[in-house]
Amino acid sequence: MNSVLIEKKDGIAIITLNRPEKMNALTRDMLRALQQILEQCAADSALRAVYLTGSGRGFCAGQDVTDFDNTESLNFDQLLAEYYDPVVTALRSIELPVVCAVNGVAAGAGANIALCCDIVVAAESASFIQAFSRIGLIPDSGGTYWLPRLVGLQKAAALMMLGEKLSAAEAERCGMIYRVFPDNIFAGASLQLAATLAALPTRALALTKKALQSSMHNSLEEQLHTEAQLQQAAGQTADFREGVSAFKEKRQPVFIGR
Ligand code: LHQ
């Protein structure tokens, strides 16, 4: 059985972490598969959105801790650089909107991989745990980059040091995620969000993603310059022409993603 599943449907790449009996805890094979799937998605011009979720009752429990049997010989530096960081980078650089549908608990690197996606939604029963301090590690997979930016330094420090479980509702309330859906409608509602994104002007969304990424480190002056350059690119798309035509003709636009 594949530990990461990919299905392409109506312009959406549905990626499912698939080791449900272990709460989708990540192995090297899974991370490699995820990297390859994301590369394949980035090269597929028919795609308009990515949807990442987990199978079973968890989203992802982070690194498979049973891999830590021989703690002496672990090379964390290499493990992160070769297996985790390329996943984070791929999710940030892919020129498609990425919805992360957190169906259950997201712990350790599982939580932080979720947080680096463009729009994170969660089922009401889901939760987030910066589990690292519980086993004597520090948050990785971009968590120390995203979490303070999402919830502020104080809250991030407390969540990361205490390693407490945060409910989906509290994650929404503090701005860590976009929305919570009731469990009984979660799968449909989160996929519908990806479908909505897939019908929007894909290039403009990709350029918006790029602009937001730059804003994390740019000065206002630099950011205004970036916006002007990216707007110039958006203005060259067929979808921009369609958007203006549809507005003038008082009809709904039909975007083609180019
Ligand atoms: C697991 C795991 C797991 C293996 C549940 N591994 N089996 C670190 C270092 C270096 C480089 C890269 O990056 C990292 C990043 C990290 O992610 S470090 C943090 C690793 N993650 C954790 O420490 C979380 C450990 N898991 C838990 O705290 C709990 O299992 C959670 C809160 C996720 C779920 O709790 P429950 O709902 O009570 O489920 P459970 O504990 O009964 O888990 C179900 C099964 O999944 C169970 O297996 P079993 O055979 O006993 O039924 C667990 O052992 C297994 N599992 N997480 N990370």
Side-chain angles (χ1 to χ4, degrees), residues 117-132:
C117 295
D118 295 303
I119 300 183
V120 187
V121 294
E124 209 168 11
S125 61
S127 55
F128 296 82
I129 313 174
Q130 294 290 329
F132 308 87

